[in-house]
Amino acid sequence: QVQLVESGGGLVQAGDSLRLSCAASGRTFSSDDIGWFRQAPGKEREFVAGINWSGATTADAASVKGRATISKDNAKNTVYLQMNSLKPEDTAIYFCAAGTLGYNGVFYPTYWGQGTQVTVSS
């Protein structure tokens, strides 16, 4: 079984930075890819960034390009999402997921965490 627990969210001002963490337990962390998604009130859940099992390949969405960096620490079983220059439109619940990052940059989720709230004030 796999468990994914997000942390690091909070209330920040526009222009600030946050680093979100996704701590994983179970055998899937070393064999599965990890993706970050977000969902704002009244909006569909959207892909933010993904990283493959080894950490060598990453992908990100156009909405966060240049502002988001995804990374992985296998020793800690943790995937990070560093977000800089935060905007009010980044406000959402951020979820991490285990699944598959395709070679075309499309992420296919299988297991979800519970989410962490990010609120960016103007």
Side-chain angles (χ1 to χ4, degrees):
Q1 296 182 356
V2 60
Q3 287 185 320
L4 303 172
V5 180
E6 302 92 334
S7 63
L11 197 162
V12 298
Q13 293 183 323
D16 287 352
S17 299
L18 278 177
R19 188 176 74 163
L20 307 181
S21 299
C22 175
S25 61
R27 294 182 290 109
T28 60
F29 186 79
S30 60
S31 60
D32 288 348
D33 305 331
I34 300 294
W36 282 96
F37 293 75
R38 66 186 182 185
Q39 188 167 22
K43 306 294 183 181
E44 292 186 340
R45 188 170 299 186
E46 65 173 344
F47 173 75
V48 178
I51 189 168
N52 79 330
W53 66 271
S54 69
T57 302
T58 62
D60 53 33
S63 59
V64 299
K65 193 170 296 293
R67 302 187 297 118
T69 302
I70 188 169
S71 60
K72 187 179 184 182
D73 187 338
N74 285 329
K76 297 182 178 180
N77 285 355
T78 301
V79 172
Y80 304 99
L81 180 67
Q82 175 72 40
M83 295 197 65
N84 303 320
S85 301
L86 285 162
K87 306 174 181 179
E89 50 262 44
D90 294 320
T91 295
I93 301 176
Y94 284 71
F95 301 88
C96 66
T100 301
L101 177 62
Y103 288 108
N104 60 353
V106 177
F107 192 90
Y108 305 91
T110 302
Y111 306 101
W112 295 93
Q114 83 289 350
T116 184
Q117 176 71 46
V118 172
T119 302
V120 184
S121 63
S122 59

